[in-house]
Amino acid sequence: DAKTTQPPSMDCAEGRAANLPCNHSTISGNEYVYWYRQIHSQGPQYIIHGLKNNETNEMASLIITEDRKSSTLILPHATLRDTAVYYCIVRAPNTGNQFYFGTGTSLTVIP
Amino acid sequence: GAVVSQHPSRVICKSGTSVKIECRSLDFQATTMFWYRQFPKKSLMLMATSNEGSKATYEQGVEKDKFLINHASLTLSTLTVTSAHPEDSSFYICSAPKGNYGYTFGSGTRLTVV
């Protein structure tokens, strides 16, 4: 799997948009970008994934650059419950390959 | 859908004893499951890949005789920490691949060895 780099921590004011960046400059053509988050002492939770088009669901939006070397996860209106560690992972789909987690970004939503 | 149930959620055991952690796929079949370990304030570290009907594949540095993995059915994988020591205290998480959505994860098991 391609390696990803993320800032170790970020703060965001409650109600504002949280924009979490991820660099994946060595991503392969068939690899998707996945975002997960882990709230303290819980298993990781799926957020969103995409290949090259921007994606949106009820939780977040994913913006992938045209060259696919980086992406941004957007939480449009952050709440205190969004405080978690956010992981960006790249992987080819349906391969059964392992997820290797990087260090992620610890997001703190401030009241 | 795509729920993975992990049990127990937390366990305390005495040093030298063994502990079994179960991971079940509730609404799908998982020929492969993955086991992770996470120390406080650290990321998830892949320990091993559990394969139904065959031997598990361990990551470098993980002792296969200490962390026994059994994947006897398409819905159940177990991790047994044998002769546990305090340094084995950690958060253990299982997961299974689920199509295009990557992985679905269990809720984790907090192991404390005293």
Side-chain angles (χ1 to χ4, degrees):
Chain A
D1 284 359
K3 186 175 179 179
T4 62
T5 56
Q6 300 175 251
S9 63
M10 293 180 64
D11 293 338
C12 176
E14 186 179 16
R16 303 297 294 271
N19 297 286
L20 293 91
C22 179
N23 287 321
H24 32 78
S25 59
T26 60
I27 191 170
S28 300
N30 66 337
E31 287 182 319
Y32 282 66
V33 180
Y34 294 85
W35 282 84
Y36 282 74
R37 72 180 182 185
Q38 186 180 26
I39 296 170
H40 181 63
S41 293
Q42 297 182 25
Q45 175 191 22
Y46 167 83
I47 301 173
I48 199 167
H49 76 286
L51 182 62
K52 56 182 179 181
N53 296 324
N54 297 337
E55 303 288 342
T56 296
N57 63 20
E58 65 277 6
M59 291 182 68
S61 294
L62 173 60
I63 308 298
I64 302 174
T65 58
E66 192 169 343
D67 64 7
R68 302 208 325 122
K69 292 185 177 182
S70 65
S71 61
T72 301
L73 178 74
I74 301 173
L75 307 179
H77 306 287
T79 70
L80 299 180
R81 288 177 294 182
D82 292 323
T83 293
V85 178
Y86 288 77
Y87 295 99
C88 166
I89 303 164
V90 294
R91 172 182 169 268
N94 296 322
T95 62
N97 288 344
Q98 305 88 332
F99 265 1
Y100 288 99
F101 284 80
T103 54
T105 296
S106 178
L107 174 69
T108 301
V109 180
I110 302 170
Chain B
V3 176
V4 169
S5 174
Q6 188 171 342
H7 178 81
S9 59
R10 58 180 65 233
V11 58
I12 300 173
C13 72
K14 291 185 178 180
S15 186
T17 62
S18 296
V19 174
K20 180 184 286 188
I21 302 170
E22 292 188 348
C23 182
R24 295 181 183 272
S25 57
L26 296 185
D27 52 357
F28 67 103
Q29 293 182 332
T31 57
T32 302
M33 289 188 178
F34 302 97
W35 288 94
Y36 293 83
R37 178 170 53 183
Q38 187 176 33
F39 292 107
K41 298 189 183 299
K42 299 294 185 181
S43 186
L44 286 78
M45 296 297 295
L46 180 67
M47 298 176 65
T49 302
S50 168
N51 303 298
E52 188 269 333
S54 64
K55 292 183 178 180
T57 304
Y58 291 82
E59 294 296 300
Q60 189 174 7
V62 178
E63 300 175 60
K64 62 180 181 181
D65 294 331
K66 180 169 186 60
F67 299 99
L68 300 179
I69 291 174
N70 184 280
H71 195 153
S73 78
L74 290 171
T75 59
L76 174 64
S77 175
T78 62
L79 169 68
T80 301
V81 183
T82 63
S83 187
H85 292 285
E87 56 265 31
D88 299 323
S89 298
S90 189
F91 191 55
Y92 293 86
I93 308 169
C94 66
S95 70
K98 183 57 180 170
N100 239 15
Y101 293 92
Y103 279 34
T104 184
F105 288 83
S107 54
T109 297
R110 175 75 58 193
L111 171 63
T112 303
V113 184
V114 298

